[in-house]
Amino acid sequence: MSSPPWTVRPVPYLDPVAQELVAELDRDMQARYGGQDATPVDPEHFADPSGTFLVMEDGAGPIGCAGIRTHGADAEIKRMYVRASRRRRGFARHLLTALEAYARARGFTRVILETGTAQPEAIALYEASGYVQIVGYGYYRDEPTCRCYAKWLI
């Protein structure tokens, strides 16, 4: 079996490629919701042993990014993003699988995340990947457009 033509690698949250992708994500959130994600983010939350931040790339350059951090007893997905020009090719599913593998390897039994109704493609991905809607949590828990999901890693 040959290797995929792309790679997923952990990087510091403040890595220039990661920050380029996060800036694109922020612009996407601005267009969708009228503002950037205001959830407090500490770069150290995405460093071992608290979490990780992944960048996906291929020969054409960066494709997307995603992070996972500890949230109580759970692993929480944050800053998941695939560039608009690279969407609908399965890259987000591969990033999600990599995050779940990271969480499993560290003994987490559940992964949680926040998304919103202006991201129907994200909601479709999470639901197709076995995530179920849960009670709101986090910074946006009281926002009517917020949707929170969880997946048990059994």
Side-chain angles (χ1 to χ4, degrees), residues 82-137:
V82 172
R83 287 185 153 160
S85 64
R86 309 303 294 274
R87 292 180 186 155
R88 303 193 58 79
R89 298 182 198 171
F91 294 128
R93 189 173 303 275
H94 289 295
L95 275 170
L96 188 59
T97 298
L99 292 174
E100 290 171 359
Y102 175 90
R104 251 189 219 97
R106 277 142 189 85
F108 288 100
T109 58
R110 189 170 84 147
V111 176
I112 61 173
L113 61 92
E114 290 176 299
T115 191
T117 57
Q119 297 167 268
E121 69 282 10
I123 290 171
L125 168 68
Y126 298 133
E127 289 179 352
S129 300
Y131 286 75
V132 296
Q133 199 166 346
I134 60 171
V135 172
Y137 75 92

